[in-house]
Amino acid sequence: MPLEARNIGFRYSGGPWVLREVDIVVNSGEVVGLTGPSGCGKTTLGRIMAGYELPCRGNVMLDGRPLPVGGYNPVQMVFQHPEKAVNTRWKMKDTISEGWNPDDGILKSLGIEREWLNRWPNELSGGELQRFCVARALGPKTRFLVADEMTTMLDAITQAQIWRVVLDVARRRNLGVLVISHEQSLIKRLCGKVVALG
Ligand SMILES: Nc1ncnc2c1ncn2[C@@H]1O[C@H](COP(=O)(O)OP(=O)(O)OP(=O)(O)O)[C@@H](O)[C@H]1O
Ligand SMILES: [Mg+2]
């Protein structure tokens, strides 16, 4: 069952067209790359695919129907800047349990220390915070993951470790993954299909 964006056109109010007639389909169990130069609209398209933004033209369908509104979003996004994606007034244990309560197994496999759960977001490094955002996005009701430069701030070894975990979960649960990145090598390594913007 696919997540599909058809004929997407988008402009921020008063601005130029950022996306024109973009088509992208992510099937369940598929890992699709989205690439292109900085400013070409990758994040914008990711936000539209996850329902954070409505397109000016075209539409996004999940299993042939419009994205559901309210409740747990089956299309989860991991954002480029994790510090903007968490509530600074919540400790990590509250952040993580917002969508679901991850078991120790997934926390451990993502390299999240138990002790970090009692910390505030500003007491973690960007990479440590991003691991929480990845864990939060992998709730049991997640069907598709939009990973926007998810591991860009991490060193190569940690990047590989996190992708191994995410792709393993995706394979076991038949999740579709949209990998947004300007890193061609990462896209080539992970994705069966690639859409280039710009
Ligand atoms: N909230 C906004 N209001 C107005 N313009 C915006 C807004 N967000 C992004 N833009 C503009 O839309 C264009 C696309 O931005 P977007 O963040 O989608 O690009 P990107 O491909 O993700 O870039 P990068 O590789 O640097 O992350 C850019 O020209 C940007 O300046
Ligand atoms: Mg971006």
Side-chain angles (χ1 to χ4, degrees):
M1 288 302 208
L3 173 67
E4 44 190 338
R6 296 284 181 204
N7 200 22
I8 298 294
F10 186 83
R11 63 200 294 195
Y12 290 96
S13 67
W17 287 95
V18 175
L19 301 168
R20 286 169 197 269
E21 294 174 22
V22 176
D23 287 301
I24 187 163
V25 179
V26 185
N27 289 297
S28 293
E30 198 177 34
V31 183
V32 177
L34 178 60
T35 187
S38 182
C40 71
K42 301 183 296 297
T43 295
T44 303
L45 182 58
R47 288 172 54 82
I48 290 171
M49 299 283 284
Y52 285 99
E53 202 89 60
L54 284 174
C56 305
R57 294 191 184 149
N59 49 53
V60 179
M61 308 287 257
L62 177 65
D63 304 338
R65 278 182 238 115
L67 285 179
V69 180
Y72 188 89
N73 188 349
V75 186
Q76 284 285 306
M77 187 154 177
V78 178
F79 293 89
Q80 193 166 6
H81 304 288
E83 61 285 356
K84 289 193 206 160
V86 296
N87 189 330
T88 53
R89 298 188 202 176
W90 288 2
K91 287 201 170 176
M92 295 320 302
K93 59 182 172 206
D94 302 317
T95 297
I96 197 92
S97 59
E98 187 186 5
W100 70 300
N101 277 309
D103 50 77
D104 280 354
I106 192 130
L107 295 184
K108 200 159 169 233
S109 62
L110 287 169
I112 296 172
E113 310 271 344
R114 279 239 136 242
E115 183 255 320
W116 297 352
L117 291 167
N118 278 317
R119 295 203 198 165
W120 301 99
N122 68 355
E123 294 170 341
L124 292 169
S125 76
E128 289 166 353
L129 196 56
Q130 189 64 306
R131 294 165 202 229
F132 274 97
C133 294
V134 175
R136 179 177 61 176
L138 291 174
K141 292 184 187 156
T142 299
R143 305 248 334 268
F144 289 89
L145 190 70
V146 176
D148 186 6
E149 306 282 3
M150 182 172 82
T151 52
T152 300
M153 84 284 284
L154 301 171
D155 61 89
I157 291 172
T158 313
Q159 182 182 71
Q161 178 210 4
I162 290 188
W163 273 112
R164 206 175 310 121
V165 176
V166 169
L167 294 181
D168 182 50
V169 172
R171 210 170 299 120
R172 276 190 283 118
R173 291 171 37 191
N174 204 31
L175 306 182
V177 184
L178 183 65
V179 183
I180 302 181
S181 182
H182 59 265
E183 270 183 71
Q184 293 294 340
S185 57
L186 181 80
I187 295 264
K188 257 196 204 144
R189 192 151 45 81
L190 303 183
C191 307
K193 188 167 91 183
V194 181
V195 174
L197 287 181

